[in-house]
Amino acid sequence: MCFLRIMKVLNNNAVMVKQDKQEKIVIGLGVGFQKGKNDLVNPNKIEKIFVLEENEKFEQLLKRIPEEHFIISENIIAYAEEQLQTKLNSHIHLALTDHLSFAIERERQGIQLRNKLLSEIRVLYREEFEIGLWAIQHIKEQLGIDMPVDEAAYIALHIHTMKIRGGDLRETVKLTTIVGEIVHLIEKGLKINISKNDLAYERLITHLYYMLDRVSQSVHALDQDMLKMIKRKFPKSFRCSEEIAEEILTKYNIKLPEEELGYITLHIERIRNVLT
C-alpha cells in the first residue's frame, strides 16, 4: 500500500498531498483532523482523491466558508456522480462549494435570487434538476434552511456544466438564455402565453436546445423540398421564425440556417393550432 504524506491541511475533511509528483486533494470525513504537515493520511478515511489546478483558490475558499458548507457541497457532488453514473470535472469542488456557500448566506439574510431560466432548466436538464431538488432538501435537513426551487435550478446548471468533459458555465447559461428568449419571441409574435406545463412547450425548448447545438457544429438535416413545402404551407409561422432568426443574429451573432427555421416553423404551427 502506498501511504500518502500530508503537504497541507485544508480543513478537517480535506488535505493536500503529493502523489506521483503531482499535487492532489484528498477528501474524507476527519482526514485532516488533528493532522499536520508530513503526517500520513489514514487510508481508511480517504473517500476521494482528485487533481485540482486551482489548489490555491480552493485553499482560500475553505478558509472563508463554514466547514459545514464544504461538507454539504461534497455530499451533493457524491450524490450527483452516483445518480449520473459519471465523474464530474474536478472544478465542481471549487465552483459548486463557492456557489452554495454564497447562496446559503444570502438565504440566511432573506435575499432570494429568482432564476429566470427555471422553466427551461427543469426540462432541458431533467436529471440534474432532480439532483438539485435533492440538494435543497439535503440543505434543509442539515442546516434547517428552506432554499427556493430556483436554487435547485442553479445547482443543476453547475452539475450539467461539470459533467466529465467539463464545460463553461457561462456558455451553458447563454445557451439556456437564448432558448428562453426564442420562446418569448414566439409568444410575442403569436400574442399568446405558452404554458410551461404543456407538452408542446417541452417539445419546443428541447428542440431549440439541440438546434443551437447543431448550429454550433454546422449540422443540419432538413430536406430542401421539405423546407419549400413548409414555407409554402405555413407562411405566417415561417415569417415568425425569420423574425426570431433576425433577433438572435442581431443580439448573439448566431445565424440560424433556413433548415432550422423550418423545424421552428413546425413547432410554432403546432402551438398556434393548440393555443390560438
Side-chain angles (χ1 to χ4, degrees):
M1 180 183 293
C2 179
F3 288 95
L4 301 176
R5 202 170 288 278
I6 295 173
M7 292 176 58
K8 187 178 292 185
V9 175
L10 302 178
N11 64 26
N12 286 333
N13 303 289
V15 298
M16 192 183 301
V17 302
K18 181 167 281 190
Q19 185 182 44
D20 302 326
K21 298 182 180 180
Q22 192 171 38
E23 289 185 0
K24 297 183 180 181
I25 306 292
V26 175
I27 290 175
L29 188 62
V31 72
F33 182 64
Q34 295 185 337
K35 293 289 186 180
K37 185 176 180 181
N38 292 324
D39 284 346
L40 293 176
V41 176
N42 183 341
N44 296 322
K45 291 184 178 291
I46 296 175
E47 296 174 13
K48 190 176 297 184
I49 302 177
F50 60 88
V51 177
L52 185 64
E53 292 179 2
E54 308 110 317
N55 282 344
E56 190 175 332
K57 290 181 182 177
F58 192 54
E59 183 181 353
Q60 291 172 4
L61 175 64
L62 294 184
K63 287 178 180 177
R64 288 202 320 261
I65 67 171
E67 193 165 333
E68 59 191 5
H69 294 182
F70 167 71
I71 295 171
I72 287 171
S73 179
E74 286 302 314
N75 290 343
I76 293 169
I77 292 168
Y79 179 79
E81 291 182 334
E82 180 184 347
Q83 294 300 304
L84 297 172
Q85 291 293 291
T86 187
K87 288 289 182 186
L88 298 174
N89 185 283
S90 64
H91 182 68
I92 189 75
H93 298 278
L94 176 62
L96 184 62
T97 304
D98 189 28
H99 167 81
L100 276 179
S101 185
F102 189 40
I104 290 168
E105 291 305 323
R106 282 201 317 266
E107 190 64 32
R108 281 182 167 146
Q109 295 169 27
I111 302 170
Q112 291 188 349
L113 295 185
R114 294 302 170 198
N115 194 324
K116 295 181 180 179
L117 303 176
L118 174 61
S119 298
E120 290 79 13
I121 292 167
R122 194 194 299 265
V123 174
L124 292 175
Y125 316 124
R126 201 178 300 269
E127 280 186 291
E128 293 90 334
F129 184 71
E130 289 297 322
I131 293 167
L133 292 176
W134 181 90
I136 61 174
Q137 179 60 31
H138 183 64
I139 292 170
K140 181 178 180 179
E141 291 169 358
Q142 297 300 310
L143 302 178
I145 297 175
D146 277 309
M147 305 293 284
V149 70
D150 304 72
E151 181 55 34
Y154 284 122
I155 292 170
L157 274 180
H158 276 280
I159 292 170
H160 174 77
T161 306
M162 290 297 138
K163 283 182 178 176
I164 189 64
R165 64 185 180 279
D168 186 338
L169 182 60
R170 289 171 298 181
E171 192 62 29
T172 302
V173 172
K174 177 183 175 182
L175 193 66
T176 312
T177 300
I178 295 172
V179 168
E181 191 156 334
I182 292 175
V183 173
H184 172 70
L185 290 170
I186 292 173
E187 290 179 318
K188 184 179 177 182
L190 299 182
K191 296 181 173 58
I192 59 169
N193 289 317
I194 303 173
S195 170
K196 304 302 183 286
N197 297 318
D198 196 284
L199 180 60
Y201 168 79
E202 292 198 13
R203 287 172 176 165
L204 172 64
I205 69 168
T206 300
H207 168 77
L208 292 175
Y209 176 82
Y210 287 109
M211 174 201 71
L212 290 169
D213 187 53
R214 285 197 301 273
V215 168
S216 68
Q217 299 179 48
S218 301
V219 176
H220 315 296
L222 190 63
D223 182 278
Q224 283 297 316
D225 291 335
M226 180 65 71
L227 177 62
K228 289 177 184 176
M229 185 274 289
I230 291 172
K231 292 169 71 173
R232 184 176 65 254
K233 192 170 182 179
F234 310 120
K236 287 185 179 179
S237 293
F238 189 77
R239 181 55 198 152
C240 183
S241 296
E242 288 183 314
E243 290 170 357
I244 289 168
E246 291 166 7
E247 184 79 14
I248 297 303
L249 179 61
T250 300
K251 195 163 186 179
Y252 298 101
N253 197 31
I254 296 175
K255 183 173 177 58
L256 303 181
E258 269 203 329
E259 293 92 336
E260 296 298 347
L261 299 191
Y263 282 120
I264 296 175
T265 298
L266 293 177
H267 283 283
I268 293 174
E269 192 62 26
R270 179 189 288 130
I271 291 168
R272 285 186 66 207
N273 290 336
V274 172
L275 300 178
T276 60

